[in-house]
Amino acid sequence: MVELLFDDIFKVKCVNPDGQKYDKVSRIDARSEKLAMHMLLDVNTEIYPIDEGEKILMVLSPTLNYDGAPVASHSSQEGKKSLADKFEYVMHGKLYKLSEEGSGSDLKVEVYASFGGLQMMLKGDPVHCAKFRVDQNMFLLLRKLP
């Protein structure tokens, strides 16, 4: 079974908090329900529209294979059941920066990843960010919840 890097349900607080900079991409500002994490995420809203107030399940995984094996190539995934089958929007990218803010009980970790130029910033308690490493490849998977 694949060991996920992170998963939580997020509620979208705002879409494009600093105004829309690109025609087909929106930045969502969301807060998680279980782990009290904050996320800024760029999404291609031409193919996956997201509105303020929506709830989304967000998963970060090192692979799409249920057995935990690395994804060799896109063509090797064809016809094979994968984690992506349970989600509506999938991106592949790399974690490029980890930073800490605050100190003591107020310490927060910021995780930065790029998915083909679309950015993600995930911020929260260091306990929930222990599985992350710089230069780590990952898949981001989204599914809207009722």
Side-chain angles (χ1 to χ4, degrees):
M1 188 71 186
V2 63
E3 185 177 337
L4 301 177
L5 301 170
F6 181 87
D7 70 296
D8 204 346
I9 295 169
F10 284 82
K11 183 168 185 180
V12 178
K13 297 293 183 191
C14 184
V15 177
N16 294 314
D18 299 323
Q20 188 159 5
K21 294 180 172 60
Y22 303 101
D23 291 340
K24 299 175 184 179
V25 175
S26 292
R27 178 161 288 173
I28 62 167
D29 184 344
R31 304 268 187 247
S32 76
E33 294 188 345
K34 288 188 302 189
L35 305 175
M37 300 288 282
H38 173 232
M39 177 176 67
L40 293 174
L41 178 66
D42 295 341
V43 176
N44 182 334
T45 47
E46 180 182 50
I47 60 173
Y48 194 68
I50 295 181
D51 296 315
E52 191 174 308
E54 285 189 304
K55 286 186 179 183
I56 53 174
L57 172 63
M58 190 276 282
V59 169
L60 294 171
S61 175
T63 183
L64 295 175
N65 295 319
Y66 284 118
D67 63 3
V71 174
S73 69
H74 177 66
S75 60
S76 69
Q77 294 297 114
E78 288 180 29
K80 194 174 174 183
K81 292 216 178 272
S82 78
L83 196 56
D85 297 334
K86 296 182 181 269
F87 290 86
E88 302 161 337
Y89 185 79
V90 180
M91 295 191 291
H92 179 256
K94 184 175 272 202
L95 192 152
Y96 66 88
K97 181 180 172 184
L98 285 170
S99 65
E100 294 180 349
E101 180 181 284
S103 62
S105 62
D106 292 330
L107 181 67
K108 300 287 184 214
V109 170
E110 292 180 346
V111 177
Y112 294 89
S114 179
F115 301 91
L118 298 179
Q119 303 293 306
M120 177 198 73
M121 187 279 299
L122 189 63
K123 180 179 178 178
D125 192 309
V127 170
H128 308 307
C129 302
K131 296 179 183 177
F132 294 118
R133 303 284 174 262
V134 173
D135 290 332
Q136 182 176 41
N137 288 309
M138 64 178 66
F139 291 89
L140 181 142
L141 304 101
L142 298 177
R143 180 177 69 226
K144 292 179 184 175
L145 300 173

